[in-house]
């Protein structure tokens, strides 16, 4: 039987959640036996090649491309998991949510105390995806099946969640794996 | 700093003995004098009463009637509650917008008139209604709104807008109000005639313990909504350790759609004060406080006069009715526009000169209340019942009502009905009978107990008004054919969001989430799973909020989910592809499109 497929992506995240996934150490070998990776930065596949069992999402949506990718994941994955606080709540990027977009850009490219920008222009290349008015957690854009809290969630949490989902087991994470204080 | 401001503020503080416990009165005084309480005034008050500045600032910022920035000489506060909306308050609002050239929350350029939108001001039977400074104006139309502005511009005296007086004491020289009592059905207890001083005389002829026994025999339960047995509360308080005790009367009457306490204070003030005095005797208290909502300030002078007369007649003060050693007096504490202050521990905070934040319980007020002393808080109507029980004996009270709820109850009925007003009914009456009394037989829904109560559908009109079935502090709002159930729920959620004190996250944030989801559903973008979301979140808010406001705030949604589920079900559609219809990409990139001058290449 063909191995189930897993896809991952980093939207408005810092890649820390992906690092945490890699942090499963030698279990990565087991993972490779268990699944094939489809679209993911781990194997650098850019486009979905087929249907996936599980999609892991890092980061929320801060621009139109994030939305597009997330919707693509929803179309291709049976189960979607928001991994980490950025995906589940917007996280650090969402700190801009109380400030109008224009002001954010001006602060970042013109007025900020550490800005060096002799051109005095805010970047506006057609290649740059349009920013959203604010950063949205994933479940406000598409249906999300599971949320893993943490910044990032520890490797053990991701491992246990993933293996449970792939084996059709209930997602019963012990308290130690989802407590952060 | 202006000298006159300094002198005046310091004088106001001195008038209140520089007592930080009287911050409400001090700030009310400064607000009345200057139209706002600016930073300088806050500094001066803080210094005079020897309180941290932040204590004063938090009082100024908490209450809707206080303002740190200048307000007009005259403030028009238009009720925005559902009843007023149904009676066309939008038309009066538009007239005010047009004639004043301002919107809600704004002041005219000449600094003369401010316009505000406020929750129920206790005049739902005469909606649309507004307060112009302290003066209530009722039954507004766009024509009368135009006239009001025109007149105000000539004399700026709200009292001159009152051309004719309402019935009963509303025409008393100390009230002079256009408000009408609309007492549609006076009953055998609360509105029955009574001999002034008789109840106190009877109380003083027996021991305090016997007074409490009489209240218990009458099985009196609190009329403010929760229905706690009054005798037991008094007994706790009497037994509690404390050098002093206090009797507080809750005249905050903030639950939208309730206005029966206003009528009692207008027509039966003596009876309310007698009840408080009897409580003072029973508890061994020497001081009582009537906490009067800011919206009823127009009754204050009259009530002060009633108190003065009672002092003159030996019904208040030292050795009351000749009983050696029984001393009791009452002061009036004004509120300043905060629904939460009707919650008894917030009410106590407010009386103490603090923000109207609820306190943790236990300790309960009966153990540790006002200023830390054992205190009893009862509703206006409860004290009226006390007076009647002492006057006529518990048995005559017990004759009325149902097994778990003795006596009669005042209902304030408003909305789509032919005779809105106050009705005294026996507990145990069915909702259907109540609707008949007020001419609302065709109601498609009835809100019983105000926003914190429930929206009842016709299949439940056979249920009974009493503590064990449909409990209500008095508010009954009727909705006729064509009214939109979800709009009603939305309006009530707005109310709770506005009035939450903000202390607990579930109440402060959760209600906003509930309302947003409700709006999405109403707009046809909801899914069946959203109904579970509303239910779960609503229950979470109920169980994790600290006070009664949060614990009841999801009721507009939970009760409509239960009683009008079909309305929701008709609106929701399953979302097969998992791409949420509530997310609007075009709205989300709108700002960026304007800023960059580009179109989206992905989302056409
Ligand atoms: C948010 C909130 C608002 C309340 N408003 C009032 C009110 O306006 N009048 C009132 O009598 N009770 C009000 N109550 C109930 C009081 O907390 C308290 O139970 C009541 O005054 C006790 O008096 P009773 O036993 O005579 O009813 C409110 C409760 C809550 C939680
Ligand atoms: S949750 Fe933390 S680790 Fe993960 S993407 Fe966000 S900031 Fe990075
Ligand atoms: S439940 Fe709401 S009103 Fe009550 S204390 Fe908490 S935040 Fe304040
Ligand atoms: S005065 Fe408007 S609803 Fe009560």
């Amino acid at each position: 039987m063909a191995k189930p497929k897993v896809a991952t992506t980093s939207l408005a995240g810092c890649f820390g959640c992906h690092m945490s996934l890699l942090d499963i150490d030698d279990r990565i070998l087991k993972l490779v036996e268990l699944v094939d990776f489809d679209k993911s930065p781990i194997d650098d596949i850019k486009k979905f090649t087929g249907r996936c069992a599980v999609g892991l999402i890092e980061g929320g949506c801060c621009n139109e491309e994030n939305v597009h990718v997330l919707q693509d994941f929803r179309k291709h994955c049976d189960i979607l998991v928001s991994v980490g606080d950025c995906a589940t709540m917007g996280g650090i990027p969402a700190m801009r949510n109380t400030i109008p977009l224009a002001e954010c850009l001006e602060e970042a490219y013109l007025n900020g105390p550490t800005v060096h920008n002799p051109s005095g222009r805010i970047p506006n290349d057609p290649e740059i995806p349009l920013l959203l008015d604010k950063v949205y957690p994933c479940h406000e854009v598409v249906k999300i099946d599971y949320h893993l809290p943490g910044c990032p969630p520890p490797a053990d949490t991701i491992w246990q969640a993933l293996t449970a989902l792939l084996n059709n087991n209930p997602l019963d994470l012990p308290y130690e794996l989802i407590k952060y204080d | 700093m202006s000298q006159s401001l300094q002198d005046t503020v310091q004088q106001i503080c001195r008038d209140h003995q520089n007592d930080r416990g009287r911050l409400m009165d001090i700030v009310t005084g400064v607000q009345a004098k200057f139209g706002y309480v600016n930073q300088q005034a806050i500094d001066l008050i803080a210094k005079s009463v020897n309180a941290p500045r932040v204590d004063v600032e938090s009082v100024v910022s908490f209450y809707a009637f206080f303002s740190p920035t200048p307000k007009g000489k005259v403030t028009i506060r238009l009720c925005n509650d559902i009843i007023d909306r149904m009676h066309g308050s939008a038309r009066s609002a538009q007239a005010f917008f047009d004639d004043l050239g301002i919107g809600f929350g704004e002041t005219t350029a000449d600094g003369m008139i401010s316009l505000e939108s406020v929750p129920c001001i206790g005049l739902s039977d005469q909606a649309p209604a507004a307060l112009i400074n302290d003066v209530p104006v009722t039954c507004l139309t766009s024509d009368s709104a135009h006239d009001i502005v025109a007149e105000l511009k000539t004399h700026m005296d709200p009292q001159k807008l009152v051309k004719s007086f309402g019935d009963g004491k509303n025409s008393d020289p100390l009230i002079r109000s256009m408000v009408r009592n609309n007492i549609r059905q006076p009953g055998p207890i609360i509105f029955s005639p009574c001999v002034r001083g008789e109840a106190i005389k009877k109380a003083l002829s027996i021991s305090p313990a016997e007074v409490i026994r009489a209240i218990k025999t009458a099985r009196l339960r609190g009329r403010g909504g929760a229905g706690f047995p009054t005798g037991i509360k008094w007994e706790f308080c009497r037994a509690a350790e404390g050098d002093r005790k206090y009797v507080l009367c809750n005249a905050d009457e903030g639950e939208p759609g309730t206005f029966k306490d206003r009528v009692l204070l207008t027509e039966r003030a003596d009876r309310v004060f007698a009840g408080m005095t009897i409580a003072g005797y029973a508890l061994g208290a020497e001081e009582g406080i009537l906490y009067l909502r800011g919206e009823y300030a127009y009754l204050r002078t009259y009530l002060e006069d009633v108190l003065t007369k009672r002092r003159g007649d030996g019904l208040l003060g030292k050795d009351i009715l000749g009983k050696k050693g029984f001393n009791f007096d009452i002061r009036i504490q004004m509120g300043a526009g905060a629904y939460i202050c009707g919650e008894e521990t917030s009410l106590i905070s407010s009386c103490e000169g603090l923000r109207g934040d609820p306190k943790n319980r236990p300790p309960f007020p009966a153990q540790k209340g006002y200023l830390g002393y054992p205190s009893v808080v009862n509703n206006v109507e409860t004290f009226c019942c006390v007076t009647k029980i002492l006057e006529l004996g518990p048995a005559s009270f017990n004759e009325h009502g149902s097994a778990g709820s003795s006596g009669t109850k005042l209902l304030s009925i408003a909305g789509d009905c032919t005779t809105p007003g106050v009705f005294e009914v026996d507990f145990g009456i069915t909702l259907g009978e109540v609707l008949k009394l007020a001419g609302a037989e065709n109601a498609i829904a009835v809100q019983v107990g105000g926003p914190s109560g429930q929206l009842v559908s016709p299949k439940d009109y056979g249920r009974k008004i009493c503590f064990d079935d449909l409990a209500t502090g008095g508010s009954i709002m009727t909705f006729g054919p064509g009214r939109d159930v979800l709009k009603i729920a939305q309006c009530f959620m707005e109310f709770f969001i506005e009035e939450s004190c903000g202390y607990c996250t579930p109440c402060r944030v959760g209600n906003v989430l509930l309302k947003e989801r409700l709006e999405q559903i109403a707009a046809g973008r909801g899914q069946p799973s959203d109904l579970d979301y509303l239910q779960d979140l609503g229950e979470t808010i109920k169980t994790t909020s600290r006070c009664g406001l949060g614990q009841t705030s999801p009721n507009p949604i939970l009760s409509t989910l239960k009683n009008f589920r079909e309305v929701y079900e008709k609106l929701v559609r399953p979302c097969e592809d998992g791409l949420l219809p509530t997310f609007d990409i075009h709205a989300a990139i709108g700002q960026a499109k304007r800023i960059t001058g580009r179109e989206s290449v992905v989302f056409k």
Side-chain angles (χ1 to χ4, degrees), chain A residues 64 124 128 131 133 139 141 143, chain B residues 578 580 588 591-592 596 598 600:
Chain A
E64 57 174 342
N124 190 10
I128 304 175
L131 290 171
D133 55 343
H139 66 272
V141 178
K143 178 173 185 286
Chain B
L580 300 182
Q591 286 187 37
T596 60
R598 286 190 275 133
S600 167

Side-chain angles (χ1 to χ4, degrees), chain A residues 83-122:
Chain A
V83 181
D85 288 349
C86 292
T88 53
M89 297 186 286
I92 304 274
M95 285 175 74
R96 78 161 160 99
N97 283 7
T98 55
I99 303 164
L101 181 58
E103 269 178 55
C104 286
L105 290 169
E106 282 160 20
E107 184 69 11
Y109 292 104
L110 305 177
N111 304 331
T114 58
V115 170
H116 175 71
N117 180 6
S119 78
R121 279 197 298 267
I122 294 173

Side-chain angles (χ1 to χ4, degrees), chain B residues 200 234 247 270-280 383-384 386-387:
Chain B
I200 298 185
W234 288 18
V247 177
D270 265 309
R271 206 165 292 186
V272 179
F273 293 138
M276 292 177 70
T277 310
I278 292 165
F383 283 119
C384 283
V386 165
T387 305

Side-chain angles (χ1 to χ4, degrees), chain A residues 63-65 101 105 122-132, chain B residues 586 589-604:
Chain A
N63 64 29
E64 57 174 342
E65 198 234 348
L101 181 58
L105 290 169
I122 294 173
N124 190 10
D125 191 280
E127 292 285 303
I128 304 175
L130 292 175
L131 290 171
L132 306 184
Chain B
H586 296 288
I589 55 177
Q591 286 187 37
K593 277 173 29 179
R594 271 194 306 282
I595 295 168
T596 60
R598 286 190 275 133
E599 287 299 312
S600 167
V601 284
V602 194
F603 298 98
K604 304 290 183 204

